[in-house]
Amino acid sequence: FVVPMRDQTVGVGTTVQFQAAPEGCPLPRMAWRFNGSLIPGATNQTLTLTDVSPANSGIYEVIASNRYGAATNSAALTVRTKPDVRITEVMPSPAPNATVRTGDWFELTNFEPVPIDLSGWRFNDSVGGLSDPFVIQAGLVLQPGASIVFVENLSREEFRAWWGPNNVPVIVPVVTYTGTGLSFRLTGDALFLWD
């Protein structure tokens, strides 16, 4: 094999490709296995899996063979049921009596290699519940490796002025939210995010 297969971790519903690059004379025949069992009809150099689910998680192995011998190559596929989206920073309003307007805020970052549509996702603090969360508006997409700042009661311009224009890159989206029970307490709180 000229290039070894690589392990992959993906989300539910994505399309996955494993590619084998065998060398040999005569050209090797291909056969693919999943967790040790032959995959019927899989005889090409590329194995494509569409609309994957957790049932597709496991070890994929390709066997290249000709009359002189055989070689194998394998890789693991992990299918996660939830995307790798993390709250990477969170802060309650540090100066409630300051002359400059401040607000609670948190940063959400996408650690997936694909965009994540946050339309309809919800968040709340530890006082709130499932019945009164903030609902993220339709069309908000978090690109791979990108972050979004959610700030309470401040516009994008107000947040950048307060936090420092040089500290908040222009490309970072800022979403304003309001709602009862969404204020983070300085004495301790929690932030819950769900789709």
Side-chain angles (χ1 to χ4, degrees), residues 64-83:
S65 61
N66 62 20
R67 67 177 176 245
Y68 297 110
T72 61
N73 197 350
S74 64
L77 175 64
T78 303
V79 181
R80 283 197 313 270
T81 56
K82 299 207 178 283

Side-chain angles (χ1 to χ4, degrees), residues 9-180:
T9 300
V10 298
V12 169
T14 57
T15 297
V16 175
Q17 277 195 339
F18 287 108
Q19 293 188 327
E23 281 187 339
C25 186
L27 189 64
R29 293 184 312 268
M30 310 296 290
W32 290 86
R33 294 183 184 272
F34 171 59
N35 289 337
S37 298
L38 192 64
I39 302 173
T43 58
N44 296 324
Q45 291 186 10
T46 301
L47 177 68
T48 302
L49 308 170
T50 58
D51 196 24
V52 296
S53 72
N56 297 110
S57 293
I59 303 297
Y60 288 83
E61 180 182 41
V62 61
I63 302 125
S65 61
N66 62 20
R67 67 177 176 245
Y68 297 110
T72 61
N73 197 350
S74 64
L77 175 64
T78 303
V79 181
R80 283 197 313 270
T81 56
K82 299 207 178 283
D84 190 0
V85 177
R86 302 178 203 170
I87 298 166
T88 46
E89 195 165 358
V90 62
M91 179 178 283
S93 176
N97 299 320
T99 55
V100 176
R101 285 190 65 206
T102 62
D104 298 345
W105 65 275
F106 69 95
E107 178 185 68
L108 190 64
T109 304
N110 178 4
F111 286 86
E112 291 286 349
V114 295
I116 297 173
D117 186 352
L118 298 175
S119 301
W121 283 44
R122 295 165 170 77
F123 65 85
N124 215 336
D125 71 349
S126 62
V127 175
L130 297 176
S131 62
D132 65 346
F134 179 84
V135 180
I136 297 174
Q137 75 268 17
L140 186 60
V141 176
L142 188 53
Q143 296 300 321
S147 297
I148 294 178
V149 171
F150 291 86
V151 61
E152 184 182 31
N153 297 323
L154 294 181
S155 70
R156 173 185 174 76
E157 293 75 25
E158 290 170 323
F159 178 74
R160 289 191 80 232
W162 163 50
W163 202 244
N166 295 333
N167 297 326
V168 183
V170 176
I171 62 169
V172 173
V174 176
V175 175
T176 303
Y177 69 87
T178 58
T180 58

